[in-house]
Structure formats: C-alpha cells, structure tokens
Amino acid sequence: MNELTLETIRAAHARIKPYIHRTPVLSSSILNRKVGAELFFKCENMQKVGAFKARGACNAVMSLTDEQMKRGVVTHSSGNHGAALAWASGLRGVKATIVVPENAPRPKKFAIEAYGARIVYCAANVAAREAAVDKLIAEEELELVHPFNDYRVMNGQGTAAMELLEEVPDLDIVMSPLGGGGLLSGTSVAAKGIKPGIKVVGGEPAGADDGFRSYYSGVRITDAVPNTICDGLRTGLGDKTFPMIQQNVDGIALASEENVVKAMRMTWELLKIVCETSCCPPLGAILEGNLDKYDFKGKRVGIILTGGNVDMDKLPWQN
Amino acid sequence: MNELTLETIRAAHARIKPYIHRTPVLSSSILNRKVGAELFFKCENMQKVGAFKARGACNAVMSLTDEQMKRGVVTHSSGNHGAALAWASGLRGVKATIVVPENAPRPKKFAIEAYGARIVYCAANVAAREAAVDKLIAEEELELVHPFNDYRVMNGQGTAAMELLEEVPDLDIVMSPLGGGGLLSGTSVAAKGIKPGIKVVGGEPAGADDGFRSYYSGVRITDAVPNTICDGLRTGLGDKTFPMIQQNVDGIALASEENVVKAMRMTWELLKIVCETSCCPPLGAILEGNLDKYDFKGKRVGIILTGGNVDMDKLPWQN
C-alpha cells in the first residue's frame, strides 16, 4: 500500500471497522452563536485508546503480511500512537515494541504496558530515539509503523473524515490539527474525494508553525524548534505527508497558545467533552479570526477532535 | 395532568421532542472491566441547557394553558431547573421569573439572564425563598413550575429513561441520582412500564441520605440537613415524588463523597465527558460495593448522567 486515495481510504475503513468506534458528531448551538459558524465536531477523543491514532495503527496492523506479523512491529512514541499500536497489535496477537523516552509521563507508559506491549527506553532526544528504533529493526527485524509518515497510517487516519462526511454531507470546510500531517493528509484526500468542492484547512499552533511555513514556502522545514502546549503537534511534516498536503489542502491557519487554551475550555464547557490541547488549534484559529485565505463566517465547518487523554491534575487554564 | 404513567410520559416525549436533544448513550470497555458490569450512560449532560432539567421544564411550559401562558411562570432554583425553565419559556414567548438566592454563583445567574428570564433575589434560606415565590404568585398570579414536585416536570424527566431503553432495550437495571425525586420517579415509571422485570435503583450521596432513609422507613423525611458536594441533590423528596418512588423503585444505594468524586473523575477520564458531581452517586454506589438489595456484577446497567454544568476552575479532585 503505497498510495493515499479515496479508494484506499475506503479499503482501510472496511479493514478497521470491526475494531474501532464509530464516534459521535456533536454540536453546540451556544458555541455556534459565539463563533458565527456551524461547527460539527467529530469526537475522536471518544475513539478506542482515546485518540484517532487507533485508526491508523489498526489499519497498519491489519495490513501486515504473515511474515511481518511473526516478526512484530516497532514505533517511537510516548503519546497516543504508541498506545494505539500496542492496542492494535493486541487485537491480532502481534508483538509490539514501543520506544519511549525515559522522561515520558508515567500514565502514558502504563497505558502502553496495559495493552501488552514491550517498552524500550531511550534518552529524551530525536537522535537517541532513532538510534533505538534502528537498532531494534536491525537486530530483531521488526516492522516500523511510523506515527504519520506511513501510507497504512495515513489511510487509516483518513477514515475519520470519511465518517464525518457520511454523517454531515453538506460541510463547506473540514479542519484537522496539523502535527506530522498523517491526519491532515488523510482528511484532505478523503474529503476532496467525497466532495470535490470542499475546503480543507489545517489548524496549527503558532508555536509550532513549521507546517504553515512549509506549506506556504513549498519547502518542507525539518529543523523547527516547537514551543507549544500542544504536545501531540511538536513534530515536523514527513516526506510522504507533505506532498499530499501541498496537493489537497487549501490552507493552514494558526492559533496562539492563548486561543488554543480558550478553545479547549470552550469545548469542555459547551460540548461537555474532554479533549486534549492538541485538538484545539482548529477552533483556536477560528477564535483568532486567523482566517488565512477565506472566511469561516456562516459556514458549516467539520472539525476533527483528535484525542481525549488529559492529565486531570494539570489543566492548562489552571496555572 | 395529575398522573405519572408510561402513557403520560410518552405524551410528554411527543410534546418536547422537537425542542430537546436526543442525547447519546456512551460506554467504555475499560470502565466496564474496572467495575465488572456493562454500563450504559445516557448523556443528559449534553442535553439543552446542559441538564435533563430541560425535559421537565419544557414539558411544563408546553403544557401551559393560554391563560397560564399570559400570566407567566415562576420557580425557585439557582441551578439547572432555573436555567431550564428560562430556556423553555423562551421557546414559547412566556415570561419566566426565577427566584435566586443572593449568594448564587454568578455563572448560574448569567445563564438564567441569557435565556431572557427575570431574576428576583431572596435571602439564602428556604423560608425567604418560599416567601418570595408565594409573594410573586399572589401579586402577579404566576404559575409555579416546581423543580420536581410537579407532574408535568416528573413526566418530562421520565422521557430520558424512555429514550435510554429504546436504545439499549436489554438493560437489567436503570439508575439515576436521587435529589427531590423528579427524575427517579419518572425514570422508575418509564422503565417499569416499558420492561416490567427491570430493576430501578436510585443513587444518593451518603451526606444527603434523606431519600434512602425515607424509602426504607416509609416516612418522608423533610428536616434533613444535607452535607454533600452534590449541590443538585441537597433537596428532600416531595409529596408527589415520594409515593411514586415507594411504588416503583427497587432500592436506594448510597455513595460516599470520596466515591462520588472518584466516579466523576473516572467518567471524565474514561468516557471523555464533562459531568457534574450530582451525576455521580449511581456510579459512586457501584464503586462503593454498596449494593443494597442486589448485585450489579455482570449486569447491564443504564445510568442517567444528569448534567454537565461545571466550574472548570474548581474541580473536586483538586484540593
């Protein structure tokens, strides 16, 4: 599977459908009045493992050959993709190894272990992480399932927008957060495939605007130093995700940290749901009035809420 | 409307259906594993005005005669019923007056005013509240819509269990919190009417156990002094709700404050939704192992989550 098209996303959906939740789409009339648009939130915070990452990881695991299955899978992630790959591997009895930095939060490690995966620790920097993964691949012939720069993963992530458009067909715009680009590339191909005239916009925190700068300059930035509360969006684009985003996305809108936190609190207070900081740049960008190329006013906007794994002792509006 | 039967609840549902949300029913496999039962949460925290109270208030307002409509409605509530009556009155252009204690939290007052109702302040005690309401009824001939001791309200509240059983017909037990008894009486009549063998259990905080003591002694306690974090459950039973509960409810289970808070946090963390403390005695009682007359283990249990209006700056697990 080396392509990302509406057909391959549909095939991914058929493959993962028995294992994932069909998550609800929620709206709030009070929120709509506040922002002057009709917003439809696809609640992937309520997905298996609490994040859309279950879709891509599940599609990757369900696509493994028998040979790959025997050897097992590996990835590096202290976040939702690690837990998602651990979960998906468990569904098929595949051995999963997750490379995790030593300083990762304990609840994240517990989640990965609870799903039955092996954890290999590394120092908390990119070089150490890549070295650890490379060593495992060399020594144990494990199959890498990259968090985003992998067609199996990108296709799986595209299934969220597919379901959203099945439920609310007459959207004008679809938005997703932008980190490594797995979700936004899948979303853009699914949405444009289903409804050619639709606009697809990524939401990115201003403190990690490498995607914005890459998109508008045409050159993929790989040396950015992110500084944002959105811990899931601190990665740069991949060489597979960037071209799909260049081809299919209509714009990237930035949100300040302040508006990310404001968007998060509004989502909790008005939709009555728990979502992560990393979900919130799309609504944050709308609040910011950072409209990039076009106007959200009066439009029907679908927003993919990406995850709901939150440390309830440390909420960002409480110091 | 002076009765509460499955037929009158069905009539109430037909009356309010165009105005209320059909709220989702959510589950968590991790939570189910933790408690050893299959739990189905009816998410009235996502209802209009953020609480099931929209159902009863809407049914009352939609049941007003033309004469009553002209005079307007009144209630006393600094909580969700006040906001719900304000909202429902707005739907029909009825003038609503809400008697609110001077010390009520500002966000609650804002909500009532935002829905276009008039606020009349009173001193923060029961006598002052009742005097203020009586004065308004005497002077302005307003129609009282009591928060729970009113058949129109009780019938409206019963529609939540009706929808829950339509969606998950094979429940063994239905639980709701117990405060004044409007929800529990409606729930019990709806559930037993639809599925005669089903058990209906109220969940009450141990710090406001007047419902428990009334139910098991057969004498309605009216002089209790509640001490609980569940601010929506500090009221005693009414003379209309108590007999319905005596006839139709199978037991009242108590939850400690500690288990109420634990249940609330589990609901937020595992279901990814925001709910109030007052929602949590049912799950709290299950956590407590306070099983009253029977066992929840292995059972299919429906739980009505009553509201989602929470002060995000003051969460009960933080100090």
Side-chain angles (χ1 to χ4, degrees):
Chain A
M1 195 194 297
N2 287 314
E3 48 175 359
L4 177 66
T5 66
L6 180 58
E7 287 62 43
T8 57
I9 292 169
R10 287 214 162 113
H13 195 247
R15 204 174 285 122
I16 69 178
K17 203 176 168 188
Y19 309 103
I20 60 164
H21 289 308
R22 178 139 192 143
T23 53
V25 178
L26 298 178
S27 287
S28 158
S29 53
I30 296 176
L31 180 56
N32 288 351
R33 231 171 298 138
K34 276 184 198 282
V35 302
E38 275 188 271
L39 308 183
F40 298 87
F41 293 88
K42 175 69 172 164
C43 292
E44 290 295 299
N45 55 330
M46 297 178 184
Q47 188 48 271
K48 287 280 177 187
V49 314
F52 77 99
K53 295 282 188 181
R55 294 176 182 268
C58 188
N59 189 47
V61 168
M62 294 300 158
S63 305
L64 293 174
T65 64
D66 289 350
E67 183 52 41
Q68 288 168 332
M69 269 186 65
K70 259 181 250 160
R71 295 200 306 262
V73 293
V74 62
T75 199
H76 50 81
S77 164
S78 58
N80 290 327
H81 175 68
L85 189 64
W87 164 78
S89 299
L91 296 173
R92 235 184 143 185
V94 173
K95 189 183 74 178
T97 304
I98 317 293
V99 173
V100 167
E102 285 156 351
N103 63 352
R106 284 177 60 205
K108 304 260 179 186
K109 295 182 220 166
F110 287 147
I112 291 168
E113 284 172 330
Y115 290 117
R118 171 176 64 152
I119 291 184
V120 172
Y121 291 100
C122 68
N125 63 70
V126 175
R129 190 183 69 187
E130 287 179 357
V133 170
D134 289 346
K135 187 160 172 276
L136 284 160
I137 293 171
E139 288 177 0
E140 305 185 20
E141 297 187 276
L142 302 180
E143 172 73 11
L144 175 64
V145 179
H146 192 277
F148 52 85
N149 204 41
D150 180 308
Y151 285 106
R152 298 167 297 189
V153 171
M154 292 152 72
N155 275 289
Q157 317 305 33
T159 61
M162 207 191 103
E163 289 180 9
L164 171 59
L165 276 156
E166 279 174 9
E167 192 144 338
V168 192
D170 51 350
L171 292 176
D172 301 306
I173 302 171
V174 174
M175 299 186 78
S176 88
L178 175 56
L183 179 63
L184 185 58
S185 58
T187 298
S188 63
V189 171
K192 297 263 168 162
I194 293 167
K195 195 184 171 190
I198 203 168
K199 301 290 181 196
V200 179
V201 179
E204 202 175 36
D209 67 347
D210 59 285
F212 176 91
R213 291 185 289 132
S214 300
Y215 178 83
Y216 288 107
S217 70
V219 178
R220 184 166 66 97
I221 292 166
T222 54
D223 60 351
V225 181
N227 180 17
T228 173
I229 196 173
C230 302
D231 56 306
L233 307 178
R234 291 179 191 144
T235 38
L237 295 169
D239 62 359
K240 296 185 178 70
T241 56
F242 182 50
M244 301 313 293
I245 287 171
Q246 281 189 298
Q247 279 169 46
N248 294 290
V249 169
D250 297 280
I252 312 292
L254 297 179
S256 67
E257 295 291 291
E258 190 189 338
N259 275 322
V260 165
V261 175
K262 197 173 164 191
M264 181 172 169
R265 185 164 176 160
M266 286 174 89
T267 307
W268 288 43
E269 288 183 340
L270 297 176
L271 289 173
K272 316 296 182 189
I273 58 176
V274 166
C275 68
E276 303 178 14
T277 50
S278 302
C279 297
C280 299
L283 179 56
I286 292 176
L287 294 179
E288 190 130 354
N290 190 336
L291 304 177
D292 188 42
K293 288 189 183 155
Y294 28 69
D295 196 354
F296 295 102
K297 285 284 166 205
K299 296 285 176 20
R300 290 167 68 82
V301 185
I303 295 179
I304 300 176
L305 287 179
T306 47
N309 295 319
V310 176
D311 182 346
M312 293 291 170
D313 290 319
K314 280 192 226 162
L315 300 178
W317 51 78
Q318 303 175 324
N319 302 332
Chain B
M1 195 193 299
N2 287 313
E3 49 176 357
L4 177 66
T5 66
L6 180 58
E7 287 62 44
T8 56
I9 292 169
R10 287 215 162 111
H13 195 246
R15 204 175 284 123
I16 69 178
K17 203 176 168 186
Y19 310 102
I20 61 164
H21 289 307
R22 177 137 192 145
T23 54
V25 178
L26 297 178
S27 286
S28 158
S29 53
I30 296 176
L31 180 57
N32 288 351
R33 230 172 298 138
K34 277 184 197 281
V35 301
E38 275 189 89
L39 308 183
F40 299 87
F41 292 88
K42 175 70 172 163
C43 291
E44 290 295 299
N45 55 330
M46 297 178 184
Q47 188 48 270
K48 286 280 177 188
V49 314
F52 77 99
K53 295 281 188 182
R55 294 177 183 268
C58 188
N59 190 46
V61 168
M62 295 300 159
S63 304
L64 293 174
T65 64
D66 290 350
E67 183 51 43
Q68 288 168 332
M69 269 185 67
K70 259 181 248 159
R71 295 200 306 262
V73 294
V74 63
T75 199
H76 51 84
S77 163
S78 57
N80 290 327
H81 175 69
L85 189 64
W87 163 78
S89 299
L91 296 174
R92 238 185 140 184
V94 172
K95 189 182 74 177
T97 304
I98 317 294
V99 173
V100 166
E102 286 156 351
N103 63 352
R106 285 177 59 206
K108 304 260 178 186
K109 296 183 219 165
F110 286 147
I112 292 168
E113 284 173 330
Y115 289 118
R118 170 175 65 152
I119 291 184
V120 171
Y121 291 101
C122 69
N125 63 70
V126 176
R129 190 183 71 187
E130 286 178 358
V133 170
D134 289 347
K135 187 160 172 276
L136 284 160
I137 293 171
E139 289 178 0
E140 305 185 20
E141 296 187 277
L142 302 180
E143 171 72 10
L144 175 64
V145 179
H146 192 276
F148 51 86
N149 205 41
D150 180 309
Y151 286 105
R152 298 167 297 189
V153 171
M154 291 152 72
N155 275 289
Q157 317 306 31
T159 61
M162 207 191 103
E163 290 180 8
L164 171 60
L165 276 157
E166 279 175 9
E167 192 145 337
V168 193
D170 51 349
L171 292 176
D172 301 306
I173 302 171
V174 175
M175 298 187 80
S176 88
L178 175 55
L183 179 63
L184 185 58
S185 58
T187 297
S188 64
V189 171
K192 298 263 168 163
I194 293 167
K195 195 184 172 190
I198 203 168
K199 301 289 180 196
V200 178
V201 180
E204 201 174 36
D209 68 346
D210 59 285
F212 176 91
R213 291 185 288 131
S214 300
Y215 177 83
Y216 288 106
S217 70
V219 179
R220 183 165 67 97
I221 291 165
T222 54
D223 61 351
V225 182
N227 180 17
T228 173
I229 196 173
C230 302
D231 56 305
L233 307 178
R234 291 180 191 143
T235 40
L237 295 169
D239 62 358
K240 297 184 179 72
T241 57
F242 181 51
M244 300 313 293
I245 287 170
Q246 282 189 297
Q247 279 169 46
N248 295 290
V249 169
D250 297 281
I252 312 292
L254 297 179
S256 66
E257 296 290 292
E258 190 189 339
N259 275 322
V260 165
V261 174
K262 198 173 164 191
M264 182 172 168
R265 185 164 176 159
M266 286 173 89
T267 307
W268 288 43
E269 288 183 340
L270 297 175
L271 290 172
K272 315 296 181 189
I273 57 177
V274 166
C275 69
E276 303 178 15
T277 50
S278 302
C279 296
C280 299
L283 179 56
I286 292 175
L287 294 178
E288 190 130 354
N290 190 336
L291 304 178
D292 188 41
K293 288 189 185 155
Y294 29 67
D295 196 353
F296 296 103
K297 286 284 166 205
K299 297 285 177 18
R300 290 168 67 82
V301 185
I303 294 179
I304 300 176
L305 288 179
T306 46
N309 295 319
V310 176
D311 182 345
M312 292 292 170
D313 291 319
K314 278 192 226 162
L315 300 178
W317 51 80
Q318 302 176 325
N319 305 328

